[in-house]
Amino acid sequence: MPLVWWTINGHLYPDVPMFHVAEGDVVRMRVSNDSGEAHPMHLHGHHAVVLSRDGVPAAGSPWWVDSLEVGAGKSYEIAFVADNPGVWMDHCHNLPHAAEGLVTRLMYEGVTTRFTVGGPAANEPE
């Protein structure tokens, strides 16, 4: 029976390259959804401002988010200040989608962790 797998930049977690930032960076990200389902994407440890939706610049009051419902065929450009050093998860808040691969990580320069994905602890993303 075929299974569903969700990818980030064509990669399936845990083989998604980690995003690297330095403290104080202003990080701009494009979040797009080419699948047939909506994905409520959640960035741990940060708040981002929406710069544009489907290429149309945001207007009016700033739209701050830590989760963003990215509909099928939709895209957003967001920005945040890297002001919370650590290793942070960015994932679909539809947890079955996260378990099926829609997970990535954000890591600050100079930050290390003893935790790994998989291994003897069976540390998995769900």
Side-chain angles (χ1 to χ4, degrees):
M1 176 175 190
L3 298 174
V4 174
W5 300 103
W6 305 103
T7 64
I8 294 179
N9 293 336
H11 297 274
L12 182 65
Y13 186 84
D15 297 321
V16 177
M18 192 178 304
F19 293 98
H20 293 268
V21 299
E23 189 170 3
D25 283 352
V26 175
V27 181
R28 292 174 70 121
M29 298 176 97
R30 183 170 184 268
V31 182
S32 60
N33 180 357
D34 296 326
S35 77
E37 290 190 41
H39 296 288
M41 297 303 294
H42 175 64
L43 175 61
H44 285 254
H46 301 83
H47 290 95
V49 65
V50 175
L51 302 174
S52 68
R53 177 174 39 192
D54 295 331
V56 178
S61 298
W63 179 11
W64 290 96
V65 299
D66 68 358
S67 296
L68 186 61
E69 178 81 11
V70 185
K74 301 296 179 183
S75 68
Y76 291 86
E77 186 176 15
I78 63 171
F80 64 92
V81 176
D83 60 359
N84 194 6
V87 180
W88 296 100
M89 185 179 214
D90 186 6
H91 65 96
C92 182
H93 232 269
N94 181 336
L95 294 182
H97 292 182
E100 294 161 350
L102 197 46
V103 173
T104 191
R105 295 155 295 163
L106 173 81
M107 184 172 197
Y108 280 73
E109 184 176 89
V111 172
T112 60
T113 180
R114 61 186 175 91
F115 299 103
T116 60
V117 176
N123 186 14
E124 297 298 334
E126 190 192 29

